[in-house]
Amino acid sequence: MNFLSQAILAQPEPNWPQLHSLPIAESDEPLVPLGLVTAPLRVYPAYFHLGVPGALSDCYVRRSVSAQLHKAARLLPAGIELVVLDGWRPLMVQQYLFNTLSAAMREHHAGDSEAELLARTRHFVAPPSSSPEAPSPHLTGGSVDVTLCDGEGNQLDMGTEFDDISPWSYSAAFEAIGKPSPREADVIENRRLLHSVMTHVGFTNLASEWWHFDYGNQSWAWHSNAAEAKFGAASLVPLEQRWLRQVANLVQ
């Protein structure tokens, strides 16, 4: 069977305490912008266009993540392109997303305990953390949110929108349909294609989000049974800080 058409298998939720206990051997790879990439890789910073406070107008990832994205894009059939919707995420954006979804969960599940509300929210948004031992996945520069489009930039039908919080957002959700409609069959094919090219080049997928893939961070290490992660929390170096460091080097 062609690997591009392999079914997506249902996966359990991560064991979060175990995942966060994995050691991180920081590689110090820099964050790189994706704004200048060319087809078959595209960039559309979704949160910036949605007006999320603090969202960036470009997508940044670790250098090796960029290389793997290019490899995945080149595996796609002619006329299909890989679209990066989000990569490295500032902590304030993670906080905003978590607070917003937590508030919605609290309003509609008022009888739940704090632990139950956290579990519901965590299915789709990780708690904000810059902890050296357990940073939020997107803060590492190793997490990416991606989808597919055609050669004219029209996004393919993936069954739900990016960041949808319904059960249909689970990567394997449509695989369980016994007799899919023509539209559902297209969704199955599109998800399989995305999942296949990303995992083929080394990314791992978060089971509850068809769009979310990891490389190099703790989530990737847990899903791939690696002994350690290689990406901890990352940050963009402000121009002032870069100049101060360069001036210090000049006067040595």
Side-chain angles (χ1 to χ4, degrees), residues 68-133:
Q68 298 310 105
L69 287 169
H70 280 85
K71 290 179 183 178
R74 288 193 288 268
L75 292 173
L76 292 167
I80 304 298
E81 300 179 6
L82 183 64
V83 185
V84 180
L85 301 169
D86 192 34
W88 178 79
R89 189 180 293 168
L91 189 63
M92 69 175 294
V93 174
Q94 189 70 31
Q95 186 76 61
Y96 174 87
L97 297 175
F98 185 81
N99 289 350
T100 302
L101 184 55
S102 292
M105 291 293 185
R106 191 179 303 279
E107 181 175 343
H108 290 281
H109 300 281
D112 282 9
S113 67
E114 288 300 315
E116 289 169 330
L117 288 169
L118 175 60
R120 289 183 185 276
T121 304
R122 194 174 212 160
H123 278 307
F124 298 102
V125 179
S129 170
S130 58
S131 164
E133 291 78 28

Side-chain angles (χ1 to χ4, degrees), residues 134-146:
S136 303
H138 275 279
L139 191 64
T140 68
S143 293
V144 288
D145 297 327
V146 291

Side-chain angles (χ1 to χ4, degrees), residues 30-60:
L31 293 167
V32 297
L34 296 177
L36 294 178
V37 299
T38 57
L41 186 60
R42 295 191 183 220
V43 180
Y44 183 82
Y47 291 130
F48 175 79
H49 291 290
L50 288 170
V52 171
L56 304 176
S57 59
D58 197 356
C59 292
Y60 291 80

